[in-house]
Amino acid sequence: MTVRWLWVAFAGAASGLQSLPPTQWTSNSTSSTGFSLADAPKTIFLESAFANVSDTVGLTLIPPTAAEFAETFSQDLISLFGGNWTIQQVEVTPGSGISLGRYRGNASQLSYENGKATEEGYEIESSNGCVYIGGTGARGMFWGTRTLLQELLIANGSDLPPGRMIDAPAYATRGYMLDAGRKWYAPSFLKELCTYASFFKISEFHYHSSDNYPLNRGHNETWQDVFSHFSLYPDNADLQGIIQRPNETLSRTDFEDFQQHCAQRGITVIPEIEAPGHCLAITKWKPELALAKKDLLNLTHPDSIPTVKAIWAEFLPWFQTKEVHIGADEYDATLADDYINFVNEMSDFVNSTSGKRIRIWGTNEPSENLTISKDIITQHWQYGQSDPVQLQNDGYTQLNSEDWWAYMSLKNDHTPILPAPYPQFYNVTRTMNFANVPGWQWEPALFNPVNTTEQLEPGAGGNKGAILAAWNDNGPDSTTQLEAYYAMRDGIPVVAARAWSGARGVNITASTLTDTLAFLVPKAPGQNLDRKFPDSQNPSINSPLFSWSSDSATLGNATLGKGSYGPPYTLTLNVSAPFALTGPDTSLSIGPVSSNTSNVTTLIFTTNDGFPYPLRSVSEADGHDSGHPGRIFTNVSSSTHEPVPVTLPATIKITTDVVNGSRVWINDEFKGRFEVFVFGGKNTLFSWSQMALVAPLDSVSGGLSGLVLEVGIEGSGDGGNGTQNPPVYSGASRIFMSTSWAIVITAVCGTFLFMAVM
C-alpha cells in the first residue's frame, strides 16, 4: 500500500511556481487566517526542550543542534526579507509568529521509502497568524525551514493560507559530486556551493579530492608531465611528496571548516581519495609502485597498500563522517583478485582505524574465487562496471550515479567516447524524461535507460539514494570555478527534488519547471554564486546597472568596490592605454601573448586560480552547434584561434552568457572570444571551447577611462531578468498523472489531514 498526502492547496498555486522539492499541503478549514510574515513578530520561538537535540542516525559526526539550525534560519530570514530577527527559547510556543520544535505526531509514521525511520521528516502548520515547524530530528526541522522560505518567496512575502503539510524524504542520500582532483576549488567556493545545495534539501557533498588527466588522452611515456592533483595537504612531512601544488590544497583547518559549514546547512561532506587507479599523484611520488599504465598502482608491490594506508591514516581523523570513499575506479580487470583483496583490506583498515564504512565506484572485477565484502557500498556509475539489480539481489548496499542521467563532463562532452556522451551542463531533460520516455520522471530506483524493465523496486532496501557527478576530465584550465556551478545549477534542485520524492512523493510540474528554477535559484540565501549585486535581482533593462568614468583625481586608478558580476552581462570599456580591471574571481588587462609567429598585445582574462585566457580569433558564426554548445572543432577552418591584436584607443564590448561564453567586439566589429583548447575522446577529436568569465569590478588602474555594465546580452533571450539557463534539451514534455484515489480522513494533534491511499 502506498500512502500519499493529498495536495489540496499550496501557497504558490496562484503563480504556478512550485517549491523544490515539491510539497503537499492540506487546507485547514478550522482556521480563518493563515500566516503573514509582515504582521509576525520578528522573533523565532524555539521549544527549549528541542533546542539541544541533534541527530544521531545521519552520516555526519558533527550534527548541529536544533538551536544552531535555528540560528542559520534566522540569518536566512534577514537575508531574504530583512528585519532584525532574533531567537527566543520557550517552554510552550505562542500562538503567533514562527515557532520551531519537535514533530507533534507519531514520528514512526515518517520514514524513508524503504521503511526505515528518518530524522529528516517535518511538519508545517499555518493558522491564525502562526506557523509551526516541527522535525522528527533537528535536520528535519531545518528542512522544514527551507520549505517555508521557498513558499514565502513564491508568495512574495505575503500571507500563507491556513494549511498543514507532513513531509519526509524517500532516500537518505541526495547528493552531488565535484571533481576537485583535476581542478582546484577554493574553500569559499566549496562552502557557497554547499549553501546553495542545502536550499533544495541536498544531503551529501561527495568531494573527489584526487585524480589525474586520463593517460589515454596523453602519452603514457610522458606520464610524469600529465596533470594530477591531490587537494588535501598532509601535516605529516613524510607524506608531502604527494603534493605538487601546495597553494592549491586544503589544510586540515580548511577542510574541517568546510565540513562544519556544510553540516550547519544539513549537508555531510563525503571525502574521496582515489586508488588503486587514477592515482598519478602517488605514482609520481613513488614511481616504483606503478604498473605499466602509470596511473595504476601495482598492488603486488610490498609498499603499495602500506602507502595507501598511510595516506588514509593521515586523513581519517580529518573526516567528520561515518562513510568515506576510497575510489577503486577503473582498475585492470585482469587483476581482479588483487583488486578485490585491496578493497576488502582497505574496508577492514578504515573500519578498524576509525569505525567508518567505505564506498567504492562500481568496477568490473571478474574473479572466480573472491567477492567484495558486503560491508562495502558500491556507487554504480555504468553498466559493464556493475549491475544494480545483481547488487540488490546479492545483498549489497549501493548508490545510483548511472552516468546516463548523472554525469557531466565540464566544458565538453565525451564525444566520440561511448556509450553515453556526458553533457557539459546537467541534462535536466534526462531526469524529467527518463529513458527518453516523455513524462517519466527519474527517481533513485531507476538505473537502466536501455532495458527499462530492469530497475530496482522503489525503496529497495539496498538503495541509499543518488548522487549526480560533475567531472573535470578536460583538465584544470577548461573551466573556471564558477563554471562548475553553472553546470550543476539546475541539476542540483531537480535531482534533490526527485531523490526526495522518490516514487511516492509529488512529481515536479514540468510545465512550470523553467520558471520555478529561474525564480528560486538566484534566491538561495547565504550565497552569491551567480555573482549579482545585492540590489540587482530585478534590474531595469532600460538603464545600465553600473557605470564609471575616470576624472583628473583618479589618474587612471580607482576603487570600484563592486566585486564581480556574473553572466549574462554586457561590459563596455573605453580604453586609451593598457589597463588592469581586477576583481575577486578574475582580472582583465591588456598585455602580450605569444602567437604562432610573434608576440601579440591583446586583451587577457585571468582567473583567480592563475589561468590566462587571451582573446582569440573565431568566426562569429562558429560555436553555436546545439549538440555541442560552445565547442568549435579543430577541423573548422573559419576560426583561426590565434590571439587578436588590439590597437588602442578602442571601445571594447564584452558579452557573456554561460552557453556561449565571453565574446568580444572592438569598435563595433566582432573579434573573437576567450576560449580553451580541449582534448577530445581518446585523443581523436580536438576542439576549442568557450570560457564564461565574470566581470571584475573591484578596482581599475591604467588607461581605462570609463565602463558601463548592462544586464543581459543582445539576443540572449534572458528577458532582461538577469538569468541565463543552459540549453533546453529535446524531449521535454508536460506531465500528467492519472490515479485512483481512496480518501481517508485522519486527525493528528487536532488538525484534520487528508491522506490518499493507492
Side-chain angles (χ1 to χ4, degrees):
M1 180 177 69
T2 301
V3 177
R4 297 179 185 265
W5 297 103
L6 180 60
W7 176 23
V8 176
F10 80 109
S15 65
L17 302 181
Q18 185 179 34
S19 60
L20 293 174
T23 52
Q24 300 164 310
W25 290 78
T26 64
S27 61
N28 183 352
S29 60
T30 64
S31 176
S32 59
T33 62
F35 171 76
S36 170
L37 188 67
D39 297 337
K42 297 301 183 285
T43 301
I44 300 168
F45 300 101
L46 174 63
E47 291 178 350
S48 55
F50 193 67
N52 293 323
V53 168
S54 57
D55 291 0
T56 60
V57 177
L59 292 183
T60 182
L61 295 174
I62 47 174
T65 64
E68 290 173 309
F69 277 132
E71 180 60 36
T72 300
F73 175 46
S74 71
Q75 294 303 311
D76 291 344
L77 279 170
I78 294 169
S79 169
L80 292 174
F81 302 106
N84 183 23
W85 288 82
T86 60
I87 301 169
Q88 181 179 342
Q89 293 190 24
V90 294
E91 292 187 12
V92 178
T93 57
S96 62
I98 299 175
S99 295
L100 307 178
R102 191 182 301 275
Y103 177 68
R104 297 173 297 183
N106 182 352
S108 65
Q109 292 180 344
L110 298 187
S111 66
Y112 296 115
E113 203 161 21
N114 61 13
K116 293 183 179 178
T118 174
E119 293 170 316
E120 297 187 82
Y122 67 91
E123 62 175 322
I124 300 179
E125 183 171 9
S126 166
S127 64
N128 297 320
C130 175
V131 63
Y132 179 85
I133 302 174
T136 57
R139 192 158 52 141
M141 181 202 77
F142 181 69
W143 296 143
T145 68
R146 306 303 88 186
T147 297
L148 179 63
L149 290 174
Q150 290 191 27
E151 293 294 348
L152 288 169
L153 286 167
I154 290 169
N156 199 27
S158 62
D159 294 358
L160 298 182
R164 179 175 166 82
M165 64 164 296
I166 296 175
D167 198 13
Y171 292 88
T173 293
R174 309 174 301 279
Y176 64 96
M177 188 223 77
L178 180 61
D179 176 4
R182 285 173 284 199
K183 170 71 181 178
W184 160 244
Y185 293 98
S188 58
F189 172 82
L190 298 173
K191 291 191 290 186
E192 272 196 282
L193 195 59
C194 257
T195 300
Y196 171 75
S198 75
F199 190 52
F200 303 101
K201 304 188 180 80
I202 282 283
S203 63
E204 295 180 15
F205 184 162
H206 176 173
Y207 182 78
H208 184 82
S209 73
S210 62
D211 212 321
N212 52 265
Y213 200 71
L215 287 183
N216 59 13
R217 302 197 194 176
H219 299 284
N220 198 48
E221 61 269 21
T222 59
W223 61 280
Q224 283 279 6
D225 300 323
V226 172
F227 182 88
S228 62
H229 188 46
F230 196 95
S231 64
L232 305 176
Y233 193 87
D235 292 329
N236 184 346
D238 293 338
L239 297 175
Q240 289 170 7
I242 205 170
I243 302 299
Q244 295 184 41
R245 288 169 303 283
N247 62 321
E248 294 184 358
T249 57
L250 302 179
S251 68
R252 181 169 184 171
T253 299
D254 292 333
F255 197 79
E256 290 185 344
D257 178 60
F258 165 41
Q259 293 176 101
Q260 187 70 46
H261 177 90
C262 291
Q264 290 295 132
R265 292 276 176 179
I267 294 178
T268 302
V269 176
I270 306 294
E272 177 186 356
I273 298 174
E274 179 76 75
H278 295 260
C279 55
L280 271 182
I282 296 176
T283 57
K284 285 181 182 179
W285 172 38
K286 295 189 173 186
E288 68 275 12
L289 303 186
L291 289 172
K293 188 173 184 295
K294 296 299 186 178
D295 63 348
L296 303 183
L297 283 178
N298 178 1
L299 293 173
T300 64
H301 191 287
D303 196 34
S304 286
I305 294 178
T307 296
V308 176
K309 287 182 176 178
I311 293 170
W312 274 100
E314 169 78 0
F315 293 110
L316 278 171
W318 294 26
F319 300 154
Q320 301 295 334
T321 170
K322 299 174 186 177
E323 294 177 8
V324 295
H325 205 302
I326 69 162
D329 186 29
E330 295 183 305
Y331 196 61
D332 187 337
T334 67
L335 303 175
D337 286 359
D338 294 339
Y339 171 88
I340 294 171
N341 281 326
F342 168 78
V343 296
N344 286 342
E345 187 171 345
M346 288 304 300
S347 176
D348 291 341
F349 172 78
V350 169
N351 185 261
S352 63
T353 302
S354 66
K356 303 181 193 300
R357 193 176 180 187
I358 71 165
R359 300 177 179 181
I360 63 171
W361 294 103
T363 307
N364 182 26
E365 65 285 333
S367 174
E368 296 180 358
N369 307 308
L370 302 174
T371 58
I372 289 175
S373 167
K374 289 184 172 60
D375 292 332
I376 297 171
I377 300 161
T378 299
Q379 189 165 345
H380 168 83
W381 69 278
Q382 189 180 86
Y383 284 88
Q385 300 293 334
S386 58
D387 182 342
V389 173
Q390 192 64 48
L391 288 170
Q392 174 68 23
N393 291 341
D394 291 345
Y396 286 93
T397 304
Q398 63 183 302
L399 293 158
N400 184 347
S401 288
E402 166 63 30
D403 61 355
W404 185 86
W405 73 264
Y407 272 28
M408 289 155 280
S409 177
L410 298 186
K411 194 45 62 73
N412 266 356
D413 61 28
H414 272 199
T415 301
I417 293 179
L418 297 175
Y422 303 148
Q424 61 176 289
F425 302 100
Y426 183 83
N427 192 326
V428 171
T429 297
R430 291 181 183 173
T431 303
M432 298 299 290
N433 306 277
F434 181 72
N436 296 320
V437 177
W440 188 15
Q441 295 192 21
W442 168 88
E443 49 97 0
L446 301 177
F447 286 79
N448 197 327
V450 178
N451 186 343
T452 58
T453 64
E454 289 192 0
Q455 315 295 348
L456 299 190
E457 291 296 320
N463 189 2
K464 287 172 64 70
I467 298 175
L468 65 87
W471 293 102
N472 280 298
D473 290 352
N474 295 305
D477 63 340
S478 65
T479 60
T480 69
Q481 297 189 39
L482 289 170
E483 282 183 307
Y485 160 70
Y486 304 153
M488 291 188 282
R489 179 168 55 191
D490 288 357
I492 282 173
V494 169
V495 169
R498 295 303 304 134
W500 180 281
S501 292
R504 71 183 182 186
V506 180
N507 277 0
I508 296 170
T509 301
S511 61
T512 60
L513 177 58
T514 298
D515 290 341
T516 294
L517 289 170
F519 179 79
L520 288 177
V521 159
K523 291 180 171 58
Q527 56 80 40
N528 187 21
L529 290 166
D530 283 316
R531 297 298 190 257
K532 302 303 183 199
F533 300 157
D535 56 353
S536 67
Q537 292 299 326
N538 297 294
S540 169
I541 62 174
N542 298 316
S543 61
L545 182 62
F546 176 69
S547 61
W548 170 86
S549 60
S550 65
D551 55 36
S552 57
T554 61
L555 299 176
N557 296 278
T559 298
L560 307 180
K562 303 296 286 187
S564 300
Y565 193 85
Y569 67 83
T570 296
L571 180 65
T572 303
L573 309 171
N574 294 320
V575 184
S576 59
F579 73 95
L581 186 62
T582 60
D585 299 294
T586 58
S587 64
L588 181 64
S589 61
I590 295 285
V593 64
S594 296
S595 72
N596 286 335
T597 58
S598 62
N599 285 341
V600 172
T601 297
T602 189
L603 193 63
I604 302 172
F605 249 121
T606 305
T607 60
N608 60 355
D609 41 7
F611 291 108
Y613 300 93
L615 173 61
R616 294 184 181 274
S617 177
V618 302
S619 167
E620 189 171 1
D622 288 345
H624 301 291
D625 180 347
S626 60
H628 309 281
R631 190 172 188 181
I632 302 175
F633 296 98
T634 52
N635 60 4
V636 175
S637 60
S638 52
S639 293
T640 69
H641 308 284
E642 282 294 299
V644 176
V646 175
T647 301
L648 302 178
T651 299
I652 299 173
K653 182 175 73 173
I654 302 170
T655 68
T656 300
D657 68 80
V658 301
V659 175
N660 297 296
S662 298
R663 297 161 65 83
V664 177
W665 284 256
I666 299 179
N667 296 329
D668 294 325
E669 181 182 354
F670 181 78
K671 288 295 185 179
R673 66 179 188 173
F674 303 97
E675 58 182 10
V676 62
F677 183 74
V678 175
F679 291 91
K682 297 186 176 179
N683 271 3
T684 61
L685 201 62
F686 305 106
S687 59
W688 293 83
S689 286
Q690 79 289 3
M691 297 299 299
L693 297 148
V694 300
L697 296 168
D698 247 3
S699 62
V700 61
S701 62
L704 185 62
S705 59
L707 65 83
V708 176
L709 176 71
E710 297 170 285
V711 176
I713 64 175
E714 183 178 353
S716 70
D718 75 331
N721 64 4
T723 64
Q724 177 73 35
N725 293 320
V728 176
Y729 295 86
S730 61
S733 65
R734 293 189 178 188
I735 297 168
F736 299 92
M737 290 193 298
S738 175
T739 54
S740 298
W741 298 93
I743 304 298
V744 178
I745 300 176
T746 185
V748 178
C749 294
T751 300
F752 284 94
L753 302 176
F754 292 87
M755 189 167 61
V757 182
M758 298 178 61

